[in-house]
Amino acid sequence: MAKPSRARVVMVQGTSSHAGKSVIATALCRIFARDGFQVAPFKAQNMSLNSYATPDGGEVGRSQAVQAAAALIAPRVEMNPVLLKPEGDRRSQVVLMGRPRAVASAREYH
């Protein structure tokens, strides 16, 4: 039996919002996909006003949807399992695995 190969992982980090992390991740997804690698974006938790509907009807952050397109694959809720959608007055809708679950303040969420 063939031994399973280990996944190679690249992490993009930055010190603030708008540092360019999503743009770099999108570019890397496209570069690696064009080089023949199986690529998938992942962001454990994202805060975004805008979401994208996945083919199965779930929601992910728009950045993960764009990165999936760059990786030449369909977006999946597993790429962004926790999505926080701000609703104003320090409250956000909590979307877990693509489905709205609650509206919570930061204190309630923690």
Side-chain angles (χ1 to χ4, degrees):
M1 177 165 23
K3 184 177 179 180
S5 63
R6 296 186 75 190
R8 296 181 204 145
V9 178
V10 174
M11 179 185 286
V12 177
Q13 295 181 319
T15 57
S16 65
S17 294
H18 303 290
K21 302 177 296 288
S22 293
V23 173
I24 296 296
T26 302
L28 290 173
C29 283
R30 178 52 57 97
I31 290 166
F32 292 141
R34 283 188 174 170
D35 285 349
F37 291 94
Q38 291 182 335
V39 182
F42 176 77
K43 187 169 185 179
Q45 178 178 295
N46 194 7
M47 180 172 277
S48 177
L49 284 171
N50 302 307
S51 63
Y52 181 87
T54 62
D56 67 354
E59 292 182 74
V60 295
R62 292 198 68 77
S63 292
Q64 284 65 57
V66 170
Q67 291 162 6
L72 308 175
I73 59 174
R76 299 174 48 125
V77 296
E78 292 86 357
M79 295 173 182
N80 185 196
V82 179
L83 176 61
L84 303 174
K85 296 170 68 176
E87 290 191 349
D89 199 28
R90 297 185 212 162
R91 298 184 69 77
S92 294
Q93 181 182 52
V94 180
V95 179
L96 300 176
M97 293 302 289
R99 306 281 180 235
R101 299 292 184 202
V103 174
S105 69
R107 176 170 286 165
E108 293 166 334
Y109 179 70
H110 284 287

